[in-house]
Amino acid sequence: MSKALNIPKLKHKDSGNFFILAGPCAIEGEDMALRIAETIKKVTDKLEIPFVFKGSYRKANRSRLDSFSGIGDEKALKVLRKVSETFDVPTVTDIHSANEAAMAAEYVDVIQIPAFLCRQTDILVAAAETGKTINIKKGQFLSGSSMKFAVQKVIDSGNDKVMLTDRGTMFGYSDLIVDYRTIPEMQKTGCPVVLDITHSLQQPNQSSGVTGGNPQMIETIAKAGIAVGVDGLFLETHHDPSTAKSDGANMLDLALLEPLLEKLVRIRKAL
């Protein structure tokens, strides 16, 4: 695997499979995080898929003031650390300002830059300076080829452990599309490229102020991404998406994870 995936605790790196960054949208509590992580770990060990547990310690980008934003930064980051220690897996979380980078780096293995912030130089530089692997999400408003500049900012700051994630491109006012040309275009940077198969199905800008989604298309988006040759998948999953406190409308039901990954592994092997 690429040097950008030289992540501590990452298992099955020689399996030839794609890797996944998977977990709940937000850390809602310790029990739910451990429960979800345990299920994903069992499935990915069975299928020999490299797995990084994902969970946002805080949700800064909310449409409404009354939307759930987190259980407290330190409390949520400690949950991420406990997941890592309990299941011996690496973890990833997103940051929202430059001064959060060093704090998050004390608890997780991968620092993620949200799509809306992928052009923010101070955040990219601060993340790079942690020495962690940096996952930069492509802005919904950018082409794949333009992401080479975000990558270069991190490299020029002394960190070549970078990967890129496509999470769809804005189409009209209330929908996203996945342009699969973006995957090989971003792979030209030499970075591993990830396809976010759940956020790509968001339906933002709803009149209620709560983002909608189309999770019935998760399998379709994922199959196409693997067929195109994406290096990894990003997905958010929950044991009961209808009660999730963030992004439940586009999350994968945890019960559907294993059959989905089984299909995707078969496609990968066929390629």
Side-chain angles (χ1 to χ4, degrees):
M1 276 194 174
S2 164
K3 59 186 177 182
L5 285 179
N6 185 22
I7 300 170
K9 299 185 178 182
L10 190 66
K11 309 295 191 302
H12 311 300
K13 291 190 289 185
D14 298 323
S15 66
N17 269 326
F18 52 89
F19 61 93
I20 67 169
L21 288 73
C25 177
I27 299 298
E28 301 171 11
E30 182 178 299
D31 290 343
M32 65 83 68
L34 291 172
R35 177 180 174 186
I36 294 171
E38 181 177 22
T39 299
I40 303 174
K41 179 72 161 53
K42 287 179 178 177
V43 172
T44 53
D45 279 347
K46 177 181 176 181
L47 298 174
E48 296 186 322
I49 296 172
F51 162 50
V52 180
F53 179 80
K54 181 269 168 184
S56 295
Y57 71 90
R58 175 155 49 88
K59 300 302 297 181
N61 178 27
R62 302 286 84 192
S63 296
R64 294 174 13 179
L65 188 61
D66 61 353
S67 295
F68 174 79
S69 61
I71 60 174
D73 292 356
E74 186 177 11
K75 184 176 180 180
L77 286 167
K78 285 182 176 178
V79 169
L80 285 164
R81 176 184 283 169
K82 183 161 186 178
V83 167
S84 180
E85 293 173 347
T86 301
F87 300 107
D88 196 32
V89 296
T91 55
V92 55
T93 199
D94 39 341
I95 63 170
H96 315 93
S97 63
N99 60 12
E100 294 178 32
M103 174 183 68
E106 293 183 17
Y107 295 90
V108 300
D109 304 287
V110 180
I111 302 293
Q112 182 167 284
I113 309 301
F116 282 130
L117 301 175
C118 68
R119 286 171 50 90
Q120 298 299 109
T121 300
D122 58 341
I123 295 177
L124 290 168
V125 171
E129 289 175 347
T130 67
K132 302 287 184 174
T133 293
I134 311 303
N135 181 33
I136 312 172
K137 285 200 162 185
K138 182 187 79 65
Q140 302 92 321
F141 43 85
L142 291 174
S143 67
S145 59
S146 65
M147 289 303 292
K148 63 179 178 286
F149 301 111
V151 170
Q152 198 60 48
K153 287 178 183 179
V154 175
I155 292 174
D156 288 347
S157 300
N159 187 341
D160 63 358
K161 296 181 290 185
V162 192
M163 52 186 175
L164 295 172
T165 294
D166 184 18
R167 51 97 72 234
T169 301
M170 289 303 300
F171 180 69
Y173 291 101
S174 301
D175 208 357
L176 295 164
I177 60 170
V178 176
D179 181 353
Y180 289 93
R181 297 174 298 178
T182 298
I183 293 170
E185 193 65 40
M186 293 200 300
Q187 285 173 331
K188 290 179 182 178
T189 63
C191 299
V193 171
V194 180
L195 176 61
D196 183 336
I197 61 174
T198 50
H199 286 108
S200 293
L201 293 166
Q202 281 184 336
Q203 295 171 331
N205 305 321
Q206 300 297 307
S207 59
S208 65
V210 178
T211 298
N214 188 13
Q216 296 83 3
M217 295 295 292
I218 289 174
E219 182 173 320
T220 300
I221 296 291
K223 285 178 175 177
I226 295 298
V228 170
V230 77
D231 301 294
L233 296 176
F234 177 105
L235 65 98
E236 291 183 340
T237 183
H238 194 284
H239 49 269
D240 185 4
S242 67
T243 65
K245 295 182 179 180
S246 179
D247 278 0
N250 54 267
M251 269 200 275
L252 179 72
D253 190 313
L254 191 59
L256 301 177
L257 179 66
E258 184 169 358
L260 172 64
L261 292 180
E262 286 176 340
K263 293 175 184 177
L264 300 180
V265 167
R266 290 200 294 272
I267 295 172
R268 176 75 168 206
K269 288 180 178 177
L271 295 174

